[in-house]
């Protein structure tokens, strides 16, 4: 690495807090090196109240771009010069590209990564009827991307907790921006509605924390609604195989897709926005995510 860095090396960065655990520096630096791209990637711990300072600093330093994690994702969306259609709808961004003229374009690649991961497992969003559990950050990005990618129907379910209102807002935004997609929101506790809608759907997605360590024994939906015609996907990647994914495999669901691929492909999408090149995704997966 030290021999690679020189006076021309361009900086890429991750901002947010905490960032010490992040796999992004390893993933991007490995890919830069592998492809012979003269760039380096560092993580900077930035609390919410310092977001504007950090963005200004990265502009001043002529960074090539940066990724954004919590708690800065929403604040950064208000600080860039323009937003991609998905980032505009979500109201947050996780990837910022510094353009030739120094202006900043904000993107959100979580939904792109999720859809790409599904495709890698033979599942297409276009024309599909989707049941999406969750109305938090990951779920919002997925709902918006699925709508922009022309899903036929998106039926959102969530507990009536503090995240439910966010789901109602997402439904309104999608209805305005992509009116041809049928999008609804219901209470996750209403198991009859959940079973009925899932019974005529193609894809079931868990985008909640249910199943995530230390809730490994939790399923977001009753096992009884799983059936072989359904593709099942989870955003949770800790543990690698959630209870939902294990049950989907046992029931013979046509696909059972864990969350780690979403993490890989959202990074690959950002890498492509940064460099115009494809990340060596297979090698990154083997070296850093298995
Ligand atoms: P968030 O805090 O924004 O939203 C949490 C969601 O989980 C809400 O919808 C909430 O109602 C729901 N929830 C929490 N506990 C629940 C329970 N016991 N039963 C049912 N619903 C419950 O969180 P987020 O940022 O959207 O993250 C959600 C999950 O997605 C986390 O496990 C996170 O690690 C994962 N994630 C994965 C990727 C990836 O690349 N694979 C990316 C982002 C987030």
């Amino acid at each position: 690495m030290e021999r690679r860095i020189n006076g021309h090396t361009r900086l890429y960065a991750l901002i947010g807090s905490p960032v010490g655990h992040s796999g992004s520096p390893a993933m991007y630096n490995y890919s830069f090196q592998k492809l012979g791209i003269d760039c380096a990637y560092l993580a900077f711990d930035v609390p919410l109240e310092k977001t504007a300072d950090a963005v200004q600093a990265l502009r001043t330093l002529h960074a090539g771009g940066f990724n954004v994690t919590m708690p800065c994702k929403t604040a950064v969306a208000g600080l860039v010069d323009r937003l991609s259609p998905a980032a505009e709808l979500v109201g947050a961004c996780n990837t910022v590209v510094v353009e030739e003229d120094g202006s900043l374009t904000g993107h959100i690649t979580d939904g792109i990564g999720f859809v790409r991961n599904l495709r890698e497992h033979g599942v297409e969003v276009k024309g599909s009827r989707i049941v999406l559990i969750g109305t938090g950050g990951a779920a919002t990005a997925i709902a918006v991307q699925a709508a922009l990618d022309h899903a036929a129907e998106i039926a959102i379910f969530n507990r009536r907790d503090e995240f439910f209102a966010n789901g109602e807002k997402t439904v309104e935004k999608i209805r305005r921006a992509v009116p041809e997609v049928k999008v609804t929101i219901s209470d996750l506790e209403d198991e009859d509605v959940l079973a009925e809608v899932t019974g005529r759907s193609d894809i079931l997605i868990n985008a909640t924390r249910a199943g995530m360590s230390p809730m490994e024994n939790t399923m977001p939906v009753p096992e009884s609604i799983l059936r072989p015609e359904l593709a099942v996907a989870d955003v949770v990647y800790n543990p690698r195989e959630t209870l939902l994914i294990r049950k989907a495999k046992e029931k013979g669901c046509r696909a059972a897709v864990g969350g780690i691929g979403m993490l890989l492909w959202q990074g690959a999408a950002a890498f492509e926005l940064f460099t115009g090149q494809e990340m060596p995704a297979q090698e990154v997966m083997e070296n850093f995510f298995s």
Side-chain angles (χ1 to χ4, degrees):
M1 161 76 80
E2 357 18 286
R3 263 186 285 150
R4 211 167 59 73
I5 291 179
N6 59 67
H8 301 284
T9 305
R10 198 137 195 227
L11 174 68
Y12 285 83
L14 170 67
I15 62 169
S17 186
V19 292
H21 65 287
S22 170
S24 294
M27 171 169 81
Y28 290 108
N29 286 318
Y30 173 87
S31 303
F32 289 146
Q33 194 150 16
K34 192 85 198 165
L35 299 179
I37 299 173
D38 188 9
C39 296
Y41 189 104
L42 286 174
F44 296 102
D45 199 295
V46 175
L48 181 60
E49 65 275 16
K50 293 283 183 192
T51 310
D53 290 354
V55 170
Q56 186 52 44
L58 289 161
R59 277 188 200 260
T60 305
L61 297 174
H62 303 295
F66 53 96
N67 290 121
V68 188
T69 188
M70 295 309 282
C72 305
K73 285 171 114 171
T74 306
V76 168
L79 294 165
V80 296
D81 300 301
R82 71 193 68 75
L83 290 168
S84 71
E88 178 94 52
L89 278 173
V90 174
C93 52
N94 73 336
T95 302
V96 176
V97 174
V98 181
E99 309 290 352
E100 295 273 312
D101 63 0
S103 65
L104 305 184
T105 307
H107 300 262
I108 185 139
T109 64
D110 296 301
I112 297 171
F114 180 83
V115 169
R116 172 73 188 263
N117 189 36
L118 278 187
R119 183 169 302 135
E120 291 291 317
H121 289 84
V123 181
E124 283 300 328
V125 157
K126 190 173 178 187
S128 293
R129 291 157 301 180
I130 295 173
V131 169
L132 173 65
I133 318 293
T135 54
T140 306
I142 291 169
V144 163
Q145 195 62 43
L148 293 174
D149 286 350
H150 311 291
E153 282 184 42
I154 306 169
I156 299 172
F157 288 84
N158 205 69
R159 306 191 300 191
R160 280 205 177 267
D161 61 11
E162 69 275 22
F163 290 93
F164 196 86
N166 186 51
E168 290 176 318
K169 274 192 225 141
T170 303
V171 168
E172 283 313 310
K173 284 193 277 188
I174 292 175
R175 279 182 184 156
R176 270 200 304 275
V178 205
E180 61 276 21
V181 178
K182 187 181 171 208
V183 55
T184 55
I185 181 160
S186 312
D187 188 344
L188 182 59
E189 311 286 316
D190 200 338
E191 290 195 1
D192 291 344
V193 177
L194 176 68
E196 190 266 316
V197 176
T198 309
R200 54 180 166 78
S201 292
D202 309 299
I203 306 173
L204 171 81
I205 302 165
N206 173 45
T208 73
R209 291 176 185 274
M212 182 183 172
S213 176
M215 284 190 278
E216 293 99 332
N217 297 323
T218 311
M219 292 241 310
V221 295
E223 191 182 333
S224 55
I225 68 171
L226 303 179
R227 52 183 229 289
E229 298 76 21
L230 205 57
V232 178
D234 209 325
V235 297
V236 176
Y237 55 85
N238 174 26
R240 285 288 187 274
E241 184 174 89
T242 58
L243 183 58
L244 174 67
I245 294 301
R246 196 158 72 243
K247 293 290 176 195
K249 286 179 179 169
E250 282 170 22
K251 289 264 181 156
C253 291
R254 70 183 168 102
V257 182
I260 195 68
M262 173 185 178
L263 192 64
L264 173 77
W265 289 111
Q266 61 80 27
F271 187 85
E272 201 164 336
L273 288 165
F274 288 154
T275 66
Q277 298 193 41
E278 255 187 55
M279 196 174 83
Q282 200 55 46
E283 287 165 74
V284 169
M285 180 65 118
E286 281 158 17
N287 282 295
F288 303 105
F289 292 110
S290 10

